[in-house]
Amino acid sequence: MTKPDAATQKRILEAVDAGFEEQIGFLSELIRKPSLRGQEQTAQDFLHDAYRTRGYAVDRWAIDLDAIRDHPGFSPVTIDYADAFNVVATHRPRDERGRSLILNGHVDVVPTGPAEMWTAPPFEPKREGDWLYGRGSGDMKAGLAANLYALDALRRLGWQPAGRVHLQSVVEEECTGNGALACLARGYQADAAIIPEPEDDKLVRANCGVLWFKVTVRGVPVHVREAGKGANAIEAAYRLIQALRGLEERWNERKGDHRHFETLDHPINFNVGKIAGGDWASSVPAWCSFDARIAIFPGVRAADAAAEIEACLAEAARGDAFLANNPPEVAWNGFFAEGYVLEEGSEAEATLGRAHLTSYGRSLESFVTAGYLDARVFVLYQDTPCLVYGPYSENIHAFDERVSLASLKRVTGTIALFVAEWCGLESLG
């Protein structure tokens, strides 16, 4: 489509500015919905109603595991999906002349940790200068608000996209990626996609894949006075963790083989996120389990990386007198996701670059991130350019998460300008 002229671009950015206080109020209300895993329904209700009020066709459904279980992008899960609902709103123009677009975002948030370690309650949004605080403020409810209010800005001027647009609010991004995959399985596709994750006003060029797994270790319980006769499962688990640390370093040594990751200090990160074990302080523990996460480079098959992890644990067990005869058990219980590279040269990226330049007054930068992103669903399995680009935020997954409001307004403006050029514009019916 034709790039809007300078006067139209100015009007679009002014319309974003005119609706921004309302947008902050909308985001604040969304933050108040504690959309932890399995508890996303109230936030999805809120978004569903917001989309329907604007006249969009709204599709809401529980993720059907049977529809995605055999897909190469599927991640194994150990929970019931009966309450795992996606919401997709669709705008269809009167005359579909423009290119289609998906504006995607995830509504699920990570746990808060101890609430007393926040300066304000995590689900009570607090505005302080340029910052809006709260769990999910940056990651990524600000992005969901930006997607909706970019379209609202166009409506405020009497326009709507001349191409089909899908607003996707998905679950499971923080643990499996199955929410975005379920949208693909349901048939939602477009010529391009944008995901306004908190990426510091930049475009993600490449992204690691992620694996989640649980390791369970058995021991031999005895009274602590006879500790030498038992086998301490907790201490054995720590030895296995150290072996996985060694694997982490070996994988990092391969960074030179992976384009865009050569200059990063430590792109592959292994994390033990949960550990539990034992039953009694005066008994040698009979069991221990730990949940872990590790990244993989783009181009590495998740199954191959999983096999390396299992081999690493097996080798470590063989060197342990007790574990050699009682090997640890490994269960894959979340992300089984591969990384991606956003190749340069797409018209979608060029369009985003022009929109960003107009909104920010400077050229668009790109960078590489070692966290998980749902963009892999679009890039790997739909052959669709997916632009992960969003506002400056701090402390995501930590205490006192916050998003910059000035950055959020500029990102919203960029998305509105992108829609105007990519989809084209027609008058409201």
Side-chain angles (χ1 to χ4, degrees):
M1 302 298 291
T2 304
K3 177 183 176 182
D5 60 30
T8 300
Q9 291 174 345
K10 183 173 183 292
R11 290 183 65 200
I12 291 172
L13 294 180
E14 288 173 346
V16 169
D17 183 66
F20 194 62
E21 283 301 317
E22 179 186 327
Q23 181 177 344
I24 294 171
F26 179 91
L27 172 56
S28 298
E29 190 59 33
L30 189 55
I31 292 168
R32 290 190 180 96
K33 315 297 183 186
S35 51
L36 299 160
R37 190 184 195 188
Q39 302 173 31
E40 303 96 344
Q41 300 93 329
T42 56
Q44 292 291 55
D45 287 345
F46 178 71
L47 288 164
H48 174 279
D49 292 347
Y51 298 149
R52 188 176 58 182
T53 297
R54 288 162 171 81
Y56 299 126
V58 184
D59 182 16
R60 177 174 179 161
W61 76 100
I63 297 174
D64 179 3
L65 283 176
D66 290 338
I68 59 176
R69 196 186 308 277
D70 296 327
H71 193 281
F74 175 71
S75 294
V77 291
T78 57
I79 68 166
D80 184 4
Y81 269 11
D83 292 325
F85 283 86
N86 282 341
V87 174
V88 177
T90 298
H91 158 76
R92 292 183 176 86
R94 294 189 309 280
D95 179 16
E96 193 163 341
R97 297 175 291 103
R99 291 168 290 198
S100 57
L101 177 66
I102 289 172
L103 296 173
N104 172 281
H106 67 87
V107 74
D108 53 314
V109 300
V110 299
T112 64
E116 64 270 18
M117 298 184 74
W118 289 68
T119 57
F123 294 113
E124 273 301 316
K126 181 183 71 169
R127 186 173 180 179
E128 191 174 271
D130 183 50
W131 298 105
L132 184 65
Y133 289 79
R135 172 59 85 228
S137 57
D139 190 14
M140 65 161 292
K141 293 180 176 180
L144 285 165
N147 287 340
L148 179 60
Y149 276 81
L151 298 184
D152 277 3
L154 301 178
R155 293 164 67 95
R156 191 171 289 110
L157 296 171
W159 295 324
Q160 63 183 14
R164 175 171 40 86
V165 178
H166 302 294
L167 290 157
Q168 296 182 344
S169 176
V170 304
V171 297
E172 288 288 294
E173 192 273 350
E174 296 287 6
C175 44
T176 65
N178 288 340
L181 192 68
C183 289
L184 182 155
R186 203 163 176 87
Y188 289 105
Q189 296 192 37
D191 296 318
I194 294 176
I195 306 180
E197 288 271 14
E199 301 298 354
D200 299 352
D201 309 323
K202 299 176 184 177
L203 173 69
V204 175
R205 174 63 58 205
N207 179 234
C208 286
V210 171
L211 302 179
W212 269 20
F213 56 99
K214 182 175 186 174
V215 180
T216 301
V217 184
R218 291 173 291 174
V220 176
V222 297
H223 192 287
V224 70
R225 69 186 180 184
E226 300 174 317
K229 296 181 180 180
N232 190 309
I234 293 175
E235 293 179 0
Y238 274 95
R239 291 193 290 274
L240 295 176
I241 290 169
Q242 288 307 307
L244 291 168
R245 285 286 176 208
L247 179 65
E248 172 191 30
E249 292 313 309
R250 291 193 295 277
W251 284 3
N252 274 294
E253 290 169 1
R254 303 174 191 172
K255 66 181 183 179
D257 299 332
H258 297 276
R259 185 165 51 105
H260 302 298
F261 291 85
E262 309 95 323
T263 60
L264 298 188
D265 290 338
H266 202 270
I268 300 300
N269 291 303
F270 165 68
N271 181 62
V272 178
K274 291 173 59 180
I275 188 166
D279 302 294
W280 196 252
S282 291
S283 297
V284 172
W287 68 279
C288 183
S289 65
F290 62 89
D291 288 77
R293 173 266 197 205
I294 195 167
I296 58 176
F297 288 113
V300 174
R301 292 179 64 247
D304 292 341
E308 278 199 66
I309 290 169
E310 291 177 349
C312 172
L313 291 168
E315 181 180 0
R318 284 193 294 270
D320 184 284
F322 176 76
L323 292 178
N325 295 310
N326 299 274
E329 298 175 358
V330 184
W332 303 96
N333 62 350
F335 286 124
F336 208 76
E338 296 172 1
Y340 73 92
V341 173
L342 177 68
E343 299 294 348
E344 298 182 54
S346 72
E347 182 54 32
E349 182 177 337
T351 303
L352 184 70
R354 290 189 288 271
H356 175 88
L357 179 62
T358 301
S359 183
Y360 279 78
R362 63 174 186 267
S363 297
L364 177 63
E365 299 178 45
S366 64
F367 76 121
V368 175
T369 176
Y372 171 82
L373 293 169
D374 271 343
R376 57 109 189 183
V377 171
F378 299 93
V379 176
L380 296 179
Y381 307 122
Q382 293 187 8
D383 193 27
T384 299
C386 185
L387 310 170
V388 180
Y389 161 89
Y392 184 84
S393 301
E394 292 182 348
N395 305 328
I396 62 172
H397 289 221
F399 303 122
D400 295 338
E401 178 180 351
R402 62 184 191 174
V403 63
S404 164
L405 296 175
S407 172
L408 176 58
K409 182 163 69 173
R410 287 192 292 266
V411 164
T412 305
T414 299
I415 295 172
L417 292 169
F418 181 96
V419 171
E421 179 175 349
W422 183 259
C423 302
L425 297 172
E426 67 178 17
S427 62
L428 285 172

